[in-house]
Amino acid sequence: MTFGDPPGNLWAAMRDVWIAGADMTRVGRLAEPLQDLMAVAAHAALRSADRERPDSIVVATMNPEEFLGDGNFASNVATHMGFANVPVIRVETATSSGAAAFYAGFAQIASGLAHTVLVVGGEKMTHLPTPKVSELIGRSLDPYERSYGTTMPAFAALVTRALMARHGVGERELAQVAVKNHANGARNPLAHFREEITLEMVLGSRMVADPLRLYHCCPISDGAAAIVLTAERATVRVAGIGQGTDALALRHRESLTSFRATQAAASAAFAMAGFGPERIDVAEIHDAFTPFELISLEDVGLFPPGKSAAATLDGETSLEGRLPINPSGGLKARGHPLAATGLAQIVECVWQLTGCVPRRQVQCSVALAQSIGGPGTNNWVTILESRPGMRSHAAPISGHPRSKPASRTPLQLIEHLPASRCPECRLVAAPPTRWCPRHPVEMTPTSVMGGGEVVSFTTLLSPPAGFRSPLHIALVDLVGGARLVCHGDKTQGLRIGSWVAIEAVGNVYYFSHLGT
Amino acid sequence: MTFGDPPGNLWAAMRDVWIAGADMTRVGRLAEPLQDLMAVAAHAALRSADRERPDSIVVATMNPEEFLGDGNFASNVATHMGFANVPVIRVETATSSGAAAFYAGFAQIASGLAHTVLVVGGEKMTHLPTPKVSELIGRSLDPYERSYGTTMPAFAALVTRALMARHGVGERELAQVAVKNHANGARNPLAHFREEITLEMVLGSRMVADPLRLYHCCPISDGAAAIVLTAERATVRVAGIGQGTDALALRHRESLTSFRATQAAASAAFAMAGFGPERIDVAEIHDAFTPFELISLEDVGLFPPGKSAAATLDGETSLEGRLPINPSGGLKARGHPLAATGLAQIVECVWQLTGCVPRRQVQCSVALAQSIGGPGTNNWVTILESRPGMRSHAAPISGHPRSKPASRTPLQLIEHLPASRCPECRLVAAPPTRWCPRHPVEMTPTSVMGGGEVVSFTTLLSPPAGFRSPLHIALVDLVGGARLVCHGDKTQGLRIGSWVAIEAVGNVYYFSHLGT
């Protein structure tokens, strides 16, 4: 059973869930830290929703532990964006984490646990070498199949070769998906790739995992996207949402050329919506590899089995065609910042439904987003419907990210330490933070005197790698108001209330005891 | 605003959520893989709930990527336990992930999205060196404070020293928490530590992070716990649930000696329950470090500010006291398998409320569980209430885990390959799996002939580290029915439908082409 088949008539009394705002950053090789990208997307989505603060936040990231070395990421990013006191959870289902987080937020509103939920997803990978990124993404696969060196491209290639044998899908059909999606990406100012390509370029690109070539595969991208969900009526309603799953191992699947997980998700989403695929005007489809778009179009029910390839070659899925697919450029051209992707698809659907994407606008009132998690093991279908006559809050501004992160001044060996001050609550932070740790207000640069009073301290006898034992760490309240963490040579004689001088050596603060 | 303060009267129409079953594994240094531990806990909880299959699963693990090297863990563990086709998401909020997953499951039932939800959490860490585990757990802290070598024990020590200065909490009070919780753990057959300890042993144990000693700290543990939530009336009802958050950096907190996140969570949970702390008969509290139990008792409202230490020394929180705290032994003695912990606390509460923990039974009808995420940034309070007169499904059997995982026979260089067969759907898996990948049925050992037909294949030109390029990978349907992934020397001349012979060299399958 999936969510499409609840026992009894559970949905009858479920609260409607609406989309009050949506926004995203540019996708590509971005220099900003992930926390900044997610904060920019989140604040832009809140502005577009005309909301200052959500009741609850759901964060999607696939693997910040290994991409960035940061854990507890829900708290990390909520604090960074100024929402340290808003309840936050992180949801993860591999490459569909953004869609899964959207669903978790949907459940909070539908149950009445929350009234306004911010869902924000992002990933940053381009700072790592490609083989490392491939290895980390490949851990989504069955561990045993992975032990053979199977990566995501290898998985996709195994599926593709079977697809090409069974349905007569040829090289031109596979290549046309890329050509079409690059043509759409060229009209999207936020896309990773904004150049059109030709069939010949796809067919001449280097082989990655036979029969898949470079231009059949989506890029490695950074980016973030955010949605504001609400229980109040707005322009766009979530009409249906469905999840489907499948066995982790490819070798245990019933079919190689369709994904049971997408079929189950679509069936559940249409059951909740109360209508069928014939109502869909535009769709964002998970084309991490071009054959996945062809497979997904049939799995979702937008084309009959075996018909999506010819329809693609005939232009039915182009921007001007009968059923435009991936107007954003899809994963192939807009890019695939993992946990941002499921939300970026929904952002595009919201923008299409509210008529604010001029060069790629599709006439539509119902849109569908489909997301694939890992090797097709945890897939989602989300159906959105516009309600004409409602005022639209969703108005994207091109040229994201809209503001640059504050520059990070290196600390110097001086008695004044760089800091930042909240213009509202007066909290002082050293080193400076961009947003106030207590609420989402941009901090003002300032400096503080390098002296203060010990609030607490410890001597750590089993310090982590790279530190000598014993390691002396103190918390100090500076005269200027900031609370600092710092190192010292010794804590002997130190007490809470002791006065210490602080100096910065490079990036590191040190205290020295001045007596109590 | 927290969930304690919804706009309008949102909760009025919220569906009641009940607990139909609960169970957990032993906690300690365990040899079984995490997937086995979680499967054992999940199937035991389903049996205690008299349910064969949930509508939906929520998985809690804190960091399987780095503890185990596995991603896409929701699909991984659901497939392993035989629920490959049940919708599953993973929820993570650092050390409170179990409580957060419980909340996500609660939202699915309360909204009507699902009728029966399995929530299962687990962690496995003891196979890694302690400094590595500490480093990984320490990534929950503010990155800047971490750059000073601050670990979780250092964080706790900073808090403890401030606590000892402000409320007159002495060494004996801190030590008594450990003495009490070890005394309780000695009565819990599933606890990590089952020996009583004395005040002198605590005060004489080695210093870890001054002023915290070894016996003030919980152990590193493996284990798993599971709960079955349902929309049907059962013995135990979820009366209230609340989440609270706080700034990641200790230096940005308003107080060092109380956790805002716990206070907010408690306030929200009691608001939903519609009663106050005076109704609580027993509580499981997050005593990762003994001072946290004293702080949390006051933050939750079970003791007035400044009163918990003396009350502990006076025996008020012992098993025979006025308000028994941590009858399971708490994190200190039962153990702290990270993402399992929030659920293990709830399992203990369910067992207490249904009267099935003979040597540590407390007379109770309302129980509270409190969980801390990371450095007190993402905390949860859950309140459970028993409804007398309902039949109890929750009946734990001591001596978990109840069944041992199937032994893993190493593959040999033979023409018959070890495999397993599902007695119901006849699926054959090679190498053998314990549960059927398609449904939760235990597989029967068998063997299959080492020859079959190529279903798909690829040549990977950018293989992961440790593999030579080009890497040939094929999917083969064996004569005996299993589908295999295997390596080969070349794919030249190979086609879908080609016949290949399979041999196992050590753990690895290789194909050789027999012609088409």
Side-chain angles (χ1 to χ4, degrees), chain A residues 10 15 69-70 75 84 88 90 92 139 146 148 158 161 210 243 245 377-378 456-458 487 509, chain B residues 10 15 69-70 75 84 88 90 92 139 144 146 148 158 161 210 243 245 377-378 456-458 487 509:
Chain A
L10 282 174
R15 286 170 183 80
D70 286 329
S75 289
V88 60
R90 173 181 163 224
E92 182 266 319
R139 294 212 203 141
R146 229 191 303 148
Y148 282 79
L158 291 165
R161 193 179 303 272
D210 181 20
Q243 179 185 11
T245 51
T377 58
N378 208 330
S456 194
F457 59 97
T458 185
H487 279 162
Y509 296 137
Chain B
L10 283 174
R15 286 170 182 79
D70 286 330
S75 288
V88 60
R90 173 182 163 222
E92 183 265 319
R139 295 212 203 141
Y144 178 76
R146 228 191 304 150
Y148 282 79
L158 291 165
R161 192 179 303 273
D210 180 20
Q243 178 185 12
T245 51
T377 57
N378 208 331
S456 195
F457 59 96
T458 186
H487 278 162
Y509 296 138

Side-chain angles (χ1 to χ4, degrees), chain B residues 218-242:
Chain B
C218 70
I220 292 171
S221 314
D222 308 323
I227 297 280
V228 179
L229 293 170
T230 172
E232 271 173 45
R233 284 181 74 87
T235 316
V236 177
R237 190 177 76 93
V238 184
I241 186 163

Side-chain angles (χ1 to χ4, degrees), chain A residues 277-295:
Chain A
E278 68 286 351
R279 286 277 307 277
I280 303 301
D281 300 315
V282 63
E284 287 280 311
I285 296 293
H286 192 102
D287 59 328
F289 303 93
T290 59
F292 286 12
E293 178 167 319
L294 302 180
I295 290 172

Side-chain angles (χ1 to χ4, degrees), chain A residues 157-290:
Chain A
L158 291 165
V159 168
T160 304
R161 193 179 303 272
L163 180 73
M164 292 175 81
R166 290 201 189 169
H167 290 303
V169 179
E171 293 204 338
R172 289 172 59 84
E173 287 83 354
L174 290 179
Q176 181 59 29
V177 174
V179 171
K180 167 183 71 73
N181 289 347
H182 271 258
N184 295 351
R187 294 158 183 247
N188 180 353
L190 305 180
H192 191 154
F193 294 136
R194 302 196 55 208
E195 297 85 35
E196 304 210 4
I197 57 172
T198 61
L199 274 183
E200 293 64 37
M201 287 165 74
V202 180
L203 299 175
S205 65
R206 74 174 165 82
M207 196 66 86
V208 170
D210 181 20
L212 288 177
R213 297 175 180 276
L214 184 65
Y215 276 34
H216 293 120
C217 310
C218 71
I220 292 171
S221 315
D222 308 324
I227 298 279
V228 179
L229 293 169
T230 172
E232 271 173 45
R233 284 180 73 86
T235 315
V236 177
R237 190 177 76 92
V238 184
I241 187 164
Q243 179 185 11
T245 51
D246 203 349
L248 198 59
L250 182 61
R251 67 191 190 283
H252 294 150
R253 307 272 179 91
E254 285 172 23
S255 167
L256 290 187
T257 55
S258 65
F259 291 147
R260 185 218 170 262
T262 299
Q263 294 170 341
S267 148
F270 283 118
M272 191 189 290
F275 54 75
E278 68 286 351
R279 286 277 307 277
I280 303 301
D281 300 315
V282 63
E284 287 280 311
I285 296 293
H286 192 102
D287 59 328
F289 303 93
T290 59

Side-chain angles (χ1 to χ4, degrees), chain A residues 293-370:
Chain A
E293 178 167 319
L294 302 180
I295 290 172
S296 298
L297 287 175
E298 298 173 10
D299 286 341
V300 164
L302 293 174
F303 287 90
K307 301 294 185 195
S308 65
T312 300
L313 208 53
D314 290 348
E316 283 188 51
T317 60
S318 73
L319 215 45
E320 302 75 24
R322 180 178 66 80
L323 179 59
I325 300 297
N326 282 324
S328 71
L331 282 65
K332 181 70 200 76
R334 181 200 56 232
H336 183 23
L338 305 184
T341 294
L343 291 167
Q345 294 179 318
I346 295 174
V347 169
E348 177 71 13
C349 289
V350 170
W351 285 349
Q352 289 286 350
L353 290 170
T354 51
C356 42
V357 272
R359 296 185 57 237
R360 62 184 193 277
Q361 183 66 53
V362 173
Q363 285 300 319
C364 57
S365 60
V366 183
L368 178 148
Q370 176 251 2

